Amino acid sequence: MTEHHLPVTNNQTVVDYGSTTTTPILSPTQRAARTQRLPSFVLLNESPTPQRYTRMSHNTLHGETQGTGERLEYFLNVLNQMCIGFITIYISYITLRTGLAGTSLHAWLVTIGFSFLMAEGVMVHYGNNVLTNSYKRNTKTTIHWIVLTLGGTCGAAGALIKMIQKGFLLQSTHGRLGITAFILCLLSMSSGLAALCSQRVKRVLTPLLNKALHNFLGFACFVIALVTQYYGYETGYFKSRSEWDLRILMKVVTLLSLVLSSIGPLKAFYHKVKALSR
């Protein structure tokens, strides 16, 4: 019996009887072409998608935290406006009903000047101020100058009236703090005028340094003025016109207004100092 051997070629199909598919024998060129056509897969842990979603979640959380903080600051600003209004209305009531003369005129002027106008003036540029947050920066600057000029004039005039009455011999804590507030008020208004004309004085002080100095003096004047008013509730004028519990309430409201009004100026002063350090 003669055996016939078939020639072996590259296209010959090899049958695997243990499987249901047939696998052709490919040349190296065909295998390379097929490999290029095969889809490539990325492992799940190597995919950048989880990292991207993780980053988006972090930004979302940061945005929610920032939004909560802004809402809290809006609420505190509304509370502060109520405190300022309460102080102004109460002091105006007890001073106007007895006539604006002597100590009554002094108390009314310093309250209008420092507790009302200056408190509003130092918060004009505060981003979460419910009264001015919708205004443009130029408008805010104009309001700031007008309100603080009126407030500083009223406060300084009220303090000067009392100093003249006492012959500039003020020995009490309230009196000494009042003189300090008066001096700081004059310095703050002078530095504010220099900041307004900063291009003319830039040879002596840089505009940024001058504005930082103005912010510091103005804020210091405001703090000393409200602390002075705090001690003013213990003077004979208020003791004869209000009960003890009402004076305690006025002290608490005054200190609360001082703390809440300081948020905006402290932020502004921090950014000025940070810019100077660079």
Side-chain angles (χ1 to χ4, degrees), residues 100-125:
L100 292 178
T103 304
S104 295
L105 180 60
H106 157 73
W108 185 75
L109 284 176
V110 295
T111 300
I112 294 296
F114 293 133
S115 297
F116 175 50
L117 292 176
M118 185 168 286
E120 295 293 346
V122 298
M123 294 189 299
V124 168
H125 287 286

PDB file of all heavy atoms in Angstrom, residues 100-125:
ATOM      1  N   LEU A 100     -30.967 117.523  73.732  1.00  0.00           N
ATOM      2  CA  LEU A 100     -29.569 117.356  73.342  1.00  0.00           C
ATOM      3  C   LEU A 100     -28.742 118.522  73.883  1.00  0.00           C
ATOM      4  O   LEU A 100     -28.547 119.548  73.234  1.00  0.00           O
ATOM      5  CB  LEU A 100     -29.447 117.270  71.822  1.00  0.00           C
ATOM      6  CG  LEU A 100     -30.035 116.019  71.174  1.00  0.00           C
ATOM      7  CD1 LEU A 100     -29.891 116.086  69.659  1.00  0.00           C
ATOM      8  CD2 LEU A 100     -29.370 114.766  71.719  1.00  0.00           C
ATOM      9  N   ALA A 101     -28.256 118.346  75.084  1.00  0.00           N
ATOM     10  CA  ALA A 101     -27.408 119.358  75.707  1.00  0.00           C
ATOM     11  C   ALA A 101     -26.468 118.662  76.679  1.00  0.00           C
ATOM     12  O   ALA A 101     -26.867 117.708  77.360  1.00  0.00           O
ATOM     13  CB  ALA A 101     -28.241 120.403  76.431  1.00  0.00           C
ATOM     14  N   GLY A 102     -25.229 119.125  76.739  1.00  0.00           N
ATOM     15  CA  GLY A 102     -24.279 118.575  77.692  1.00  0.00           C
ATOM     16  C   GLY A 102     -23.955 117.113  77.414  1.00  0.00           C
ATOM     17  O   GLY A 102     -23.595 116.715  76.298  1.00  0.00           O
ATOM     18  N   THR A 103     -24.124 116.292  78.447  1.00  0.00           N
ATOM     19  CA  THR A 103     -23.797 114.869  78.338  1.00  0.00           C
ATOM     20  C   THR A 103     -24.713 114.156  77.358  1.00  0.00           C
ATOM     21  O   THR A 103     -24.285 113.209  76.673  1.00  0.00           O
ATOM     22  CB  THR A 103     -23.877 114.199  79.715  1.00  0.00           C
ATOM     23  OG1 THR A 103     -23.014 114.894  80.637  1.00  0.00           O
ATOM     24  CG2 THR A 103     -23.449 112.749  79.651  1.00  0.00           C
ATOM     25  N   SER A 104     -25.978 114.581  77.264  1.00  0.00           N
ATOM     26  CA  SER A 104     -26.904 113.957  76.308  1.00  0.00           C
ATOM     27  C   SER A 104     -26.410 114.156  74.876  1.00  0.00           C
ATOM     28  O   SER A 104     -26.452 113.220  74.060  1.00  0.00           O
ATOM     29  CB  SER A 104     -28.307 114.545  76.466  1.00  0.00           C
ATOM     30  OG  SER A 104     -28.851 114.221  77.731  1.00  0.00           O
ATOM     31  N   LEU A 105     -25.953 115.351  74.561  1.00  0.00           N
ATOM     32  CA  LEU A 105     -25.416 115.607  73.219  1.00  0.00           C
ATOM     33  C   LEU A 105     -24.158 114.787  72.976  1.00  0.00           C
ATOM     34  O   LEU A 105     -23.969 114.232  71.880  1.00  0.00           O
ATOM     35  CB  LEU A 105     -25.125 117.100  73.063  1.00  0.00           C
ATOM     36  CG  LEU A 105     -24.552 117.540  71.711  1.00  0.00           C
ATOM     37  CD1 LEU A 105     -25.515 117.201  70.579  1.00  0.00           C
ATOM     38  CD2 LEU A 105     -24.236 119.040  71.722  1.00  0.00           C
ATOM     39  N   HIS A 106     -23.308 114.697  74.007  1.00  0.00           N
ATOM     40  CA  HIS A 106     -22.086 113.881  73.887  1.00  0.00           C
ATOM     41  C   HIS A 106     -22.437 112.417  73.609  1.00  0.00           C
ATOM     42  O   HIS A 106     -21.869 111.804  72.693  1.00  0.00           O
ATOM     43  CB  HIS A 106     -21.287 113.991  75.191  1.00  0.00           C
ATOM     44  CG  HIS A 106     -20.363 112.842  75.436  1.00  0.00           C
ATOM     45  ND1 HIS A 106     -19.191 112.650  74.734  1.00  0.00           N
ATOM     46  CD2 HIS A 106     -20.451 111.801  76.327  1.00  0.00           C
ATOM     47  CE1 HIS A 106     -18.596 111.553  75.165  1.00  0.00           C
ATOM     48  NE2 HIS A 106     -19.334 111.009  76.125  1.00  0.00           N
ATOM     49  N   ALA A 107     -23.345 111.852  74.392  1.00  0.00           N
ATOM     50  CA  ALA A 107     -23.710 110.441  74.224  1.00  0.00           C
ATOM     51  C   ALA A 107     -24.351 110.186  72.861  1.00  0.00           C
ATOM     52  O   ALA A 107     -24.082 109.154  72.221  1.00  0.00           O
ATOM     53  CB  ALA A 107     -24.657 110.016  75.351  1.00  0.00           C
ATOM     54  N   TRP A 108     -25.196 111.107  72.405  1.00  0.00           N
ATOM     55  CA  TRP A 108     -25.870 110.908  71.125  1.00  0.00           C
ATOM     56  C   TRP A 108     -24.888 110.996  69.950  1.00  0.00           C
ATOM     57  O   TRP A 108     -24.935 110.188  69.027  1.00  0.00           O
ATOM     58  CB  TRP A 108     -26.976 111.943  70.951  1.00  0.00           C
ATOM     59  CG  TRP A 108     -27.788 111.744  69.715  1.00  0.00           C
ATOM     60  CD1 TRP A 108     -28.753 110.787  69.499  1.00  0.00           C
ATOM     61  CD2 TRP A 108     -27.699 112.493  68.501  1.00  0.00           C
ATOM     62  NE1 TRP A 108     -29.269 110.903  68.224  1.00  0.00           N
ATOM     63  CE2 TRP A 108     -28.642 111.938  67.596  1.00  0.00           C
ATOM     64  CE3 TRP A 108     -26.933 113.584  68.082  1.00  0.00           C
ATOM     65  CZ2 TRP A 108     -28.824 112.449  66.302  1.00  0.00           C
ATOM     66  CZ3 TRP A 108     -27.109 114.084  66.809  1.00  0.00           C
ATOM     67  CH2 TRP A 108     -28.047 113.520  65.934  1.00  0.00           C
ATOM     68  N   LEU A 109     -23.969 111.965  70.000  1.00  0.00           N
ATOM     69  CA  LEU A 109     -23.019 112.143  68.904  1.00  0.00           C
ATOM     70  C   LEU A 109     -22.053 110.961  68.784  1.00  0.00           C
ATOM     71  O   LEU A 109     -21.792 110.468  67.678  1.00  0.00           O
ATOM     72  CB  LEU A 109     -22.237 113.447  69.084  1.00  0.00           C
ATOM     73  CG  LEU A 109     -22.974 114.744  68.740  1.00  0.00           C
ATOM     74  CD1 LEU A 109     -22.115 115.957  69.067  1.00  0.00           C
ATOM     75  CD2 LEU A 109     -23.379 114.769  67.272  1.00  0.00           C
ATOM     76  N   VAL A 110     -21.509 110.497  69.916  1.00  0.00           N
ATOM     77  CA  VAL A 110     -20.555 109.384  69.828  1.00  0.00           C
ATOM     78  C   VAL A 110     -21.259 108.090  69.421  1.00  0.00           C
ATOM     79  O   VAL A 110     -20.658 107.236  68.745  1.00  0.00           O
ATOM     80  CB  VAL A 110     -19.805 109.202  71.168  1.00  0.00           C
ATOM     81  CG1 VAL A 110     -18.934 110.414  71.454  1.00  0.00           C
ATOM     82  CG2 VAL A 110     -20.769 108.933  72.315  1.00  0.00           C
ATOM     83  N   THR A 111     -22.528 107.931  69.807  1.00  0.00           N
ATOM     84  CA  THR A 111     -23.258 106.732  69.390  1.00  0.00           C
ATOM     85  C   THR A 111     -23.546 106.765  67.894  1.00  0.00           C
ATOM     86  O   THR A 111     -23.333 105.766  67.183  1.00  0.00           O
ATOM     87  CB  THR A 111     -24.580 106.617  70.172  1.00  0.00           C
ATOM     88  OG1 THR A 111     -24.294 106.528  71.576  1.00  0.00           O
ATOM     89  CG2 THR A 111     -25.359 105.382  69.744  1.00  0.00           C
ATOM     90  N   ILE A 112     -24.020 107.907  67.415  1.00  0.00           N
ATOM     91  CA  ILE A 112     -24.269 108.034  65.969  1.00  0.00           C
ATOM     92  C   ILE A 112     -22.969 107.924  65.186  1.00  0.00           C
ATOM     93  O   ILE A 112     -22.907 107.268  64.125  1.00  0.00           O
ATOM     94  CB  ILE A 112     -24.973 109.378  65.658  1.00  0.00           C
ATOM     95  CG1 ILE A 112     -26.372 109.408  66.275  1.00  0.00           C
ATOM     96  CG2 ILE A 112     -25.054 109.605  64.144  1.00  0.00           C
ATOM     97  CD1 ILE A 112     -27.326 108.374  65.703  1.00  0.00           C
ATOM     98  N   GLY A 113     -21.917 108.540  65.702  1.00  0.00           N
ATOM     99  CA  GLY A 113     -20.653 108.560  64.964  1.00  0.00           C
ATOM    100  C   GLY A 113     -19.924 107.236  64.956  1.00  0.00           C
ATOM    101  O   GLY A 113     -19.513 106.750  63.892  1.00  0.00           O
ATOM    102  N   PHE A 114     -19.767 106.626  66.144  1.00  0.00           N
ATOM    103  CA  PHE A 114     -18.961 105.416  66.256  1.00  0.00           C
ATOM    104  C   PHE A 114     -19.796 104.137  66.134  1.00  0.00           C
ATOM    105  O   PHE A 114     -19.489 103.266  65.302  1.00  0.00           O
ATOM    106  CB  PHE A 114     -18.199 105.414  67.585  1.00  0.00           C
ATOM    107  CG  PHE A 114     -17.157 106.485  67.678  1.00  0.00           C
ATOM    108  CD1 PHE A 114     -17.054 107.282  68.808  1.00  0.00           C
ATOM    109  CD2 PHE A 114     -16.262 106.704  66.640  1.00  0.00           C
ATOM    110  CE1 PHE A 114     -16.090 108.268  68.910  1.00  0.00           C
ATOM    111  CE2 PHE A 114     -15.289 107.688  66.722  1.00  0.00           C
ATOM    112  CZ  PHE A 114     -15.201 108.476  67.863  1.00  0.00           C
ATOM    113  N   SER A 115     -20.834 104.006  66.952  1.00  0.00           N
ATOM    114  CA  SER A 115     -21.596 102.754  66.986  1.00  0.00           C
ATOM    115  C   SER A 115     -22.434 102.539  65.736  1.00  0.00           C
ATOM    116  O   SER A 115     -22.714 101.381  65.382  1.00  0.00           O
ATOM    117  CB  SER A 115     -22.508 102.732  68.227  1.00  0.00           C
ATOM    118  OG  SER A 115     -21.736 102.753  69.409  1.00  0.00           O
ATOM    119  N   PHE A 116     -22.854 103.626  65.082  1.00  0.00           N
ATOM    120  CA  PHE A 116     -23.703 103.484  63.900  1.00  0.00           C
ATOM    121  C   PHE A 116     -22.915 103.707  62.602  1.00  0.00           C
ATOM    122  O   PHE A 116     -22.695 102.773  61.825  1.00  0.00           O
ATOM    123  CB  PHE A 116     -24.882 104.451  63.986  1.00  0.00           C
ATOM    124  CG  PHE A 116     -25.745 104.455  62.760  1.00  0.00           C
ATOM    125  CD1 PHE A 116     -26.222 103.280  62.205  1.00  0.00           C
ATOM    126  CD2 PHE A 116     -26.072 105.657  62.146  1.00  0.00           C
ATOM    127  CE1 PHE A 116     -27.010 103.277  61.060  1.00  0.00           C
ATOM    128  CE2 PHE A 116     -26.870 105.677  61.006  1.00  0.00           C
ATOM    129  CZ  PHE A 116     -27.335 104.483  60.466  1.00  0.00           C
ATOM    130  N   LEU A 117     -22.477 104.952  62.366  1.00  0.00           N
ATOM    131  CA  LEU A 117     -21.857 105.277  61.082  1.00  0.00           C
ATOM    132  C   LEU A 117     -20.511 104.585  60.888  1.00  0.00           C
ATOM    133  O   LEU A 117     -20.231 104.042  59.810  1.00  0.00           O
ATOM    134  CB  LEU A 117     -21.705 106.796  60.960  1.00  0.00           C
ATOM    135  CG  LEU A 117     -23.015 107.589  60.843  1.00  0.00           C
ATOM    136  CD1 LEU A 117     -22.740 109.094  60.828  1.00  0.00           C
ATOM    137  CD2 LEU A 117     -23.781 107.180  59.594  1.00  0.00           C
ATOM    138  N   MET A 118     -19.660 104.591  61.912  1.00  0.00           N
ATOM    139  CA  MET A 118     -18.354 103.952  61.744  1.00  0.00           C
ATOM    140  C   MET A 118     -18.492 102.442  61.635  1.00  0.00           C
ATOM    141  O   MET A 118     -17.750 101.799  60.864  1.00  0.00           O
ATOM    142  CB  MET A 118     -17.424 104.323  62.903  1.00  0.00           C
ATOM    143  CG  MET A 118     -16.003 103.795  62.734  1.00  0.00           C
ATOM    144  SD  MET A 118     -14.809 104.489  63.903  1.00  0.00           S
ATOM    145  CE  MET A 118     -14.607 106.141  63.222  1.00  0.00           C
ATOM    146  N   ALA A 119     -19.424 101.854  62.373  1.00  0.00           N
ATOM    147  CA  ALA A 119     -19.642 100.408  62.253  1.00  0.00           C
ATOM    148  C   ALA A 119     -20.085 100.036  60.843  1.00  0.00           C
ATOM    149  O   ALA A 119     -19.630  99.033  60.280  1.00  0.00           O
ATOM    150  CB  ALA A 119     -20.682  99.956  63.283  1.00  0.00           C
ATOM    151  N   GLU A 120     -20.957 100.848  60.265  1.00  0.00           N
ATOM    152  CA  GLU A 120     -21.390 100.580  58.890  1.00  0.00           C
ATOM    153  C   GLU A 120     -20.279 100.879  57.892  1.00  0.00           C
ATOM    154  O   GLU A 120     -20.124 100.181  56.878  1.00  0.00           O
ATOM    155  CB  GLU A 120     -22.626 101.417  58.556  1.00  0.00           C
ATOM    156  CG  GLU A 120     -23.868 101.073  59.358  1.00  0.00           C
ATOM    157  CD  GLU A 120     -24.403  99.684  59.043  1.00  0.00           C
ATOM    158  OE1 GLU A 120     -23.985  99.084  58.029  1.00  0.00           O
ATOM    159  OE2 GLU A 120     -25.244  99.192  59.816  1.00  0.00           O
ATOM    160  N   GLY A 121     -19.484 101.900  58.172  1.00  0.00           N
ATOM    161  CA  GLY A 121     -18.421 102.281  57.246  1.00  0.00           C
ATOM    162  C   GLY A 121     -17.328 101.236  57.128  1.00  0.00           C
ATOM    163  O   GLY A 121     -16.822 100.979  56.028  1.00  0.00           O
ATOM    164  N   VAL A 122     -16.950 100.622  58.264  1.00  0.00           N
ATOM    165  CA  VAL A 122     -15.870  99.638  58.201  1.00  0.00           C
ATOM    166  C   VAL A 122     -16.331  98.335  57.556  1.00  0.00           C
ATOM    167  O   VAL A 122     -15.494  97.495  57.184  1.00  0.00           O
ATOM    168  CB  VAL A 122     -15.323  99.340  59.618  1.00  0.00           C
ATOM    169  CG1 VAL A 122     -14.724 100.584  60.242  1.00  0.00           C
ATOM    170  CG2 VAL A 122     -16.409  98.746  60.518  1.00  0.00           C
ATOM    171  N   MET A 123     -17.643  98.155  57.393  1.00  0.00           N
ATOM    172  CA  MET A 123     -18.160  96.928  56.778  1.00  0.00           C
ATOM    173  C   MET A 123     -18.585  97.110  55.325  1.00  0.00           C
ATOM    174  O   MET A 123     -19.115  96.179  54.717  1.00  0.00           O
ATOM    175  CB  MET A 123     -19.363  96.401  57.577  1.00  0.00           C
ATOM    176  CG  MET A 123     -19.047  95.923  58.965  1.00  0.00           C
ATOM    177  SD  MET A 123     -20.457  95.078  59.712  1.00  0.00           S
ATOM    178  CE  MET A 123     -21.681  96.388  59.714  1.00  0.00           C
ATOM    179  N   VAL A 124     -18.380  98.290  54.766  1.00  0.00           N
ATOM    180  CA  VAL A 124     -18.862  98.554  53.403  1.00  0.00           C
ATOM    181  C   VAL A 124     -18.235  97.599  52.398  1.00  0.00           C
ATOM    182  O   VAL A 124     -18.914  97.047  51.523  1.00  0.00           O
ATOM    183  CB  VAL A 124     -18.579 100.022  53.011  1.00  0.00           C
ATOM    184  CG1 VAL A 124     -18.797 100.229  51.520  1.00  0.00           C
ATOM    185  CG2 VAL A 124     -19.486 100.955  53.804  1.00  0.00           C
ATOM    186  N   HIS A 125     -16.929  97.372  52.493  1.00  0.00           N
ATOM    187  CA  HIS A 125     -16.223  96.506  51.534  1.00  0.00           C
ATOM    188  C   HIS A 125     -16.316  95.024  51.904  1.00  0.00           C
ATOM    189  O   HIS A 125     -15.752  94.187  51.192  1.00  0.00           O
ATOM    190  CB  HIS A 125     -14.756  96.910  51.436  1.00  0.00           C
ATOM    191  CG  HIS A 125     -14.543  98.194  50.688  1.00  0.00           C
ATOM    192  ND1 HIS A 125     -14.662  98.294  49.315  1.00  0.00           N
ATOM    193  CD2 HIS A 125     -14.231  99.447  51.124  1.00  0.00           C
ATOM    194  CE1 HIS A 125     -14.418  99.533  48.931  1.00  0.00           C
ATOM    195  NE2 HIS A 125     -14.155 100.254  50.012  1.00  0.00           N
TER     196      HIS A 125
END
